Amino acid sequence: NAGVTQTPKFQVLKTGQSMTLQCAQDMNHEYMSWYRQDPGMGLRLIHYSVGAGITDQGEVPNGYNVSRSTTEDFPLRLLSAAPSQTSVYFCASTHRLAGYNEQFFGPGTRLTVL
Amino acid sequence: AQSVTQLGSHVSVSEGALVLLRCNYSSSVPPYLFWYVQYPNQGLQLLLKYTTGATLVKGINGFEAEFKKSETSFHLTKPSAHMSDAAEYFCAVSGGGSNYKLTFGKGTLLTVNP
């Protein structure tokens, strides 16, 4: 198993550009989520999904879109990037039969918006 | 609603000294509690978790934590710090059951001095 994979590892955007951060897992996990990590702020939940076709907002959803067409993939879209979206983004997944909600994290994508 | 407070954004210890990282939580339901570690430029790795049962839980790398309901605390300890323990540590809480959403504290950076 590759676990949770994220691409790209690094990305630099200009203000107003759009892009998609990719997240995939090969563990057949129903639940997937996106977090952003900023210095001194910990990790904050952006969006999450409890299964294909079902998504919901987390704590900081503004400026981000998600969709879940398959169990494996959960892309995060920035439609018009802003400097405030400069951050490290982590994708995570878990299975309802997994050990007590233990979530598995990807390696992260470091995004800089100029 | 749930929240996590980590006391001390930066803790510095000498090699061989006791490590104590503090975490207090708030949850309207019986919580599931987690400690994650993040080494520089890496993703998050689960150190240990409390769900139900024994309130003293042991994790990887010699760390342990004790769930104290009366104090709403879940402090992380290690008897003897090693240089390799230098990292950022995050406490997190979820509502358990089908409530997979993790709420993180802001993190504590552990420095180990030779």
Side-chain angles (χ1 to χ4, degrees), chain A residues 13-87:
Chain A
L13 291 178
K14 295 181 180 178
T15 297
Q17 287 185 315
S18 63
M19 80 158 297
T20 299
L21 280 62
Q22 301 291 346
C23 174
Q25 51 87 14
D26 60 358
M27 298 173 283
N28 202 31
H29 286 175
E30 296 114 337
Y31 181 86
M32 296 184 74
S33 55
W34 277 101
Y35 294 86
R36 60 177 290 172
Q37 182 181 22
D38 302 291
M41 300 294 292
L43 280 80
R44 293 178 292 170
L45 182 64
I46 304 172
H47 285 285
Y48 65 98
S49 169
V50 298
I54 306 170
T55 63
D56 206 347
Q57 297 181 348
E59 182 184 353
V60 288
N62 292 340
Y64 307 95
N65 282 350
V66 293
S67 60
R68 184 97 179 269
S69 56
T70 67
T71 300
E72 295 78 19
D73 300 298
F74 190 44
L76 179 71
R77 297 183 185 85
L78 286 70
L79 297 179
S80 179
S84 61
Q85 294 178 304
T86 294
S87 188

Side-chain angles (χ1 to χ4, degrees), chain A residues 6-13 19 88 108-112, chain B residues 41:
Chain A
Q6 292 183 238
T7 56
K9 289 188 184 301
F10 302 94
Q11 183 70 50
V12 178
L13 291 178
M19 80 158 297
V88 181
T109 294
R110 187 174 296 272
L111 175 68
T112 301
Chain B
N41 299 313

